[in-house]
């Protein structure tokens, strides 16, 4: 087994996440990102995996009997012949170009990950007075990080009527540092010819999310940090012809995490954005085991490769997406379903039901929680044996009453 990464060290984004909150599920300890990455790296070394760093993979070609992974290292081409490939390419941040903010294009506008890299890995301070756009956990953590470095953080602005970050992070990152959170308010204009001089913010209509005229306010600052979502990185996947989901931005997979291209598997943020590193690692283990089984010839084909159409996994009421999108009829044991709700749901009741054929309407799994928010990935297991004779299952999340007595579904424990 070989592992290649374009960076000089393994760990991906974890290397720059110096805050704690990692490993609660997997290591049963509260670790920082680098500590978590170091433990996973040691496991990889102990397993005898060949690790190659500074290798940028450009494309994956089909060789008939296997895959040819083509990359570059120090300007030279590198070829790897493999029977199976796991794509764990992570995600990209949504940048200024995708946000449609009017005005100039001065320096001083950074994505949160970029500002985090400057501060935590390079010892650089991005500015003196900052505004954060987006109140997900990454935006909240960066607001605190900048405050701790002496940057005056003037506020966190969120277009939605609710923060997509965890309550705990709002308290520990904003309230404890006196940083105001402005909901239903966004940045509409940038000012400054060379360096950012001010941002103009405005209220938005909660229904249309469009700015409301007359509510504009000019805020002088030299730094704008954008924390406006992550997009699965799948440029390499596209070269291999992997079918992508328009909803998750990641590959369409079955319960083995097999993509539509035989021999290619996907996991982590490349498959769908994870809020917990623990779940991304666990998914990586599953994809690795599936790739090994494929390479040994124990299983064949990509997702939906058998003659019989697989069991469709559908996002029902209140659910934005479910991964995997299909389950093969020969699946065994417990199948993990990961999903997100499409809106805030109080007193939420989650259900996985058979929707067609024998036993239509039968509930396969059920859970409840006090509240579900789109920012928290949720997970439920279904027993593969219980799917016999079924062609479609639906995952739904609806508002129920007696939520307080219910066992919580997995997720959101950060
Ligand atoms: C600011 C922030 C705070 C977070 N806080 C927490 C937290 O408190 N607790 C928690 O559990 N989780 C947290 N998370 C989430 C967690 O860090 C991620 O879910 C997880 O680390 C994703 O891992 P990954 O391996 O899928 O992707 P990544 O970490 O992005 O790794 C992808 C790797 O692929 C490499 N790569 C990509 N394309 C290529 C290519 N073409 N060729 C070669 N290499 C390539 C990249 O260099 C990178 O090393 C946080 C995330 C962020 C961004």
């Amino acid at each position: 087994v070989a592992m290649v990464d374009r960076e000089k060290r393994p760990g991906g984004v974890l290397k720059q996440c110096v805050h704690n909150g990692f490993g609660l599920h997997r290591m049963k300890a509260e670790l920082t990102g680098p500590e978590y990455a170091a433990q996973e790296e040691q496991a990889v070394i102990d397993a005898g995996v060949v690790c190659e760093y500074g290798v940028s993979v450009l494309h994956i070609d089909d060789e008939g009997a296997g895959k040819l992974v083509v990359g570059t290292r120090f300007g030279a081409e590198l070829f790897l012949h493999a029977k199976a490939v796991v794509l764990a390419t992570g995600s990209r941040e949504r940048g200024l170009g995708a946000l449609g903010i009017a005005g100039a294009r001065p320096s001083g506008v950074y994505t949160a990950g970029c500002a985090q890299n400057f501060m935590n890995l390079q010892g650089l301070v991005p500015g003196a007075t900052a505004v954060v756009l987006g109140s997900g956990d990454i935006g909240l953590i960066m607001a605190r990080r900048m405050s701790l470095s002496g940057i005056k953080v003037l506020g966190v602005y969120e277009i939605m009527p609710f923060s997509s970050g965890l309550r705990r992070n709002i308290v520990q990152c904003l309230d404890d540092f006196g940083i105001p959170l402005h909901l239903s308010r966004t940045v509409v204009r940038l000012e400054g010819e060379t360096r950012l001089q001010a941002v103009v913010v405005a209220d938005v209509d909660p229904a249309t999310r469009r700015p409301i005229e007359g509510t504009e306010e000019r805020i002088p600052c030299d730094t704008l940090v954008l924390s406006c979502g992550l997009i699965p990185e799948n440029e390499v996947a596209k070269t291999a012809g992997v079918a992508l989901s328009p909803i998750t931005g990641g590959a369409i997979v079955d319960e083995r995490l097999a993509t539509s291209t035989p021999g290619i598997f996907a996991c982590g943020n490349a498959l769908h954005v994870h809020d917990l590193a623990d779940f991304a690692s666990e998914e990586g283990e599953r994809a690795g085991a599936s790739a090994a089984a494929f390479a040994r010839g124990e299983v064949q084909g990509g997702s939906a490769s058998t003659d019989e159409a697989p069991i469709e996994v559908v996002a029902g009421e209140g659910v934005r997406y479910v991964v995997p999108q299909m389950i093969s009829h020969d699946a065994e044991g417990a199948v993990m379903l990961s999903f997100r709700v499409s809106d805030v749901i109080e007193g939420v009741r989650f259900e996985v039901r058979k929707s067609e054929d024998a036993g239509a309407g039968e509930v396969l799994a059920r859970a409840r929680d006090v509240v579900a928010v789109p920012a928290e990935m949720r997970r439920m297991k279904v027993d593969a044996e219980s799917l016999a004779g079924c062609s479609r299952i639906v995952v739904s999340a609806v508002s129920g009453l007696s939520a307080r007595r219910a066992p919580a579904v997995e997720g959101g424990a950060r």
Side-chain angles (χ1 to χ4, degrees):
V1 177
M3 181 176 81
V4 295
D5 199 297
R6 64 185 163 206
E7 296 195 4
K8 288 190 196 123
R9 285 189 51 80
V13 73
L14 294 169
K15 297 193 291 294
Q16 62 185 58
C17 294
V18 300
H19 57 279
N20 58 349
F22 295 84
L24 288 168
H25 292 261
R26 197 168 159 82
M27 323 280 188
K28 306 287 175 238
E30 192 170 1
L31 306 173
T32 62
E35 285 171 334
Y36 182 96
Q39 291 208 14
E40 294 287 20
E41 182 186 0
Q42 193 54 52
V44 167
I45 292 168
D46 293 346
V49 173
V50 176
C51 301
E52 298 283 350
Y53 300 114
V55 177
S56 252
V57 174
L58 303 177
H59 52 95
I60 299 176
D61 300 336
D62 198 355
E63 286 193 309
K67 307 283 164 212
L68 176 65
V69 180
V70 182
T72 59
R73 182 164 52 186
F74 309 121
E77 265 185 318
L78 185 97
F79 300 96
L80 292 163
H81 302 273
K83 287 187 178 160
V85 178
V86 175
L87 294 171
T89 46
S91 57
R92 270 182 277 153
E93 294 176 285
R94 190 166 283 125
L96 182 62
L99 298 177
I101 298 176
R105 289 291 178 265
S107 65
V109 181
Y110 309 99
T111 60
C114 176
Q116 191 180 50
N117 184 296
F118 280 168
M119 301 186 76
N120 294 348
L121 295 184
Q122 302 185 50
L124 302 170
V125 175
T129 46
V131 162
V132 177
L133 180 60
S135 69
D137 290 313
I138 303 174
L140 301 176
I141 285 163
M142 279 313 293
R144 174 177 66 183
R145 180 70 183 90
M146 289 191 289
S147 273
L148 286 169
S149 295
I151 299 174
K152 175 84 186 142
V153 182
L154 302 171
V156 174
Y157 290 81
E158 169 59 59
I159 195 166
M160 300 299 285
F162 52 85
S163 164
S164 48
L166 296 175
R167 181 77 210 140
R168 187 183 110 178
N169 279 337
I170 296 173
V171 173
Q172 294 180 356
C173 300
L174 301 190
D175 298 354
D176 288 358
F177 290 82
I179 301 169
L181 171 64
H182 304 272
L183 300 175
S184 294
R185 207 155 160 74
T186 191
V187 173
V188 291
R189 176 172 287 277
L190 306 182
E191 288 179 16
E193 286 314 313
T194 51
R195 178 76 192 196
L196 184 70
Q197 284 173 349
V199 297
V200 177
V201 296
D203 287 347
V204 294
D205 180 335
T208 63
R209 288 184 216 153
R210 295 191 69 82
I212 302 170
E213 249 185 81
T215 62
E216 295 88 355
E217 183 193 353
R218 183 177 182 278
I219 302 177
C221 60
D222 64 9
T223 305
L224 173 64
V225 170
L226 305 171
S227 175
C228 301
L230 301 173
I231 304 158
E233 165 67 62
N234 276 299
E235 295 310 312
V236 174
K238 284 183 204 162
T239 68
V242 169
L244 301 179
S245 155
I247 303 172
T248 59
I252 295 172
V253 292
D254 66 11
E255 79 289 348
R256 296 175 296 151
L257 303 178
T259 69
S260 59
T261 303
I264 299 199
F265 300 79
C267 62
N269 277 9
L271 180 58
H272 58 125
V273 172
H274 291 62
D275 18 65
L276 293 181
D278 305 52
F279 293 166
S281 298
E282 193 192 287
E283 215 173 67
E285 276 186 346
R286 278 194 282 140
S290 300
F294 184 92
R296 287 193 300 257
E298 291 163 14
V299 286
Q300 286 168 356
S303 59
S305 59
T306 51
D307 293 342
E308 198 180 1
I311 301 160
E312 230 187 310
V313 183
V314 178
E317 186 180 348
V319 173
R320 200 160 74 84
Y321 74 77
V322 189
V323 171
Q325 291 86 351
M326 63 188 90
I327 299 173
S328 42
H329 289 279
D330 53 7
E332 288 173 0
V335 176
M336 180 68 81
L337 303 177
S338 303
F339 58 95
R340 282 180 197 270
V341 294
S342 35
D343 211 339
V344 177
I345 308 175
E346 309 250 1
V348 63
R349 209 176 64 227
F350 300 101
E351 267 178 9
V352 184
R353 276 179 191 269
K354 288 186 180 178
S355 90
E356 277 177 13
D357 309 319
E362 183 192 330
V363 177
L364 300 168
R366 180 181 270 150
R368 293 181 179 181
D369 206 347
V370 178
V371 67
V373 294
E376 279 174 28
M377 191 177 93
R378 299 288 177 149
R379 308 198 312 166
M380 283 170 87
K381 282 181 186 163
V382 288
D383 180 11
E385 263 90 88
S386 67
L387 301 174
C390 174
S391 65
R392 177 190 285 186
I393 60 171
V394 177
V395 182
S396 62
V398 293
S399 185
L401 290 172
S402 52
R404 270 191 203 92
R405 283 184 280 116
V409 66
E410 267 195 68
R414 180 152 36 128

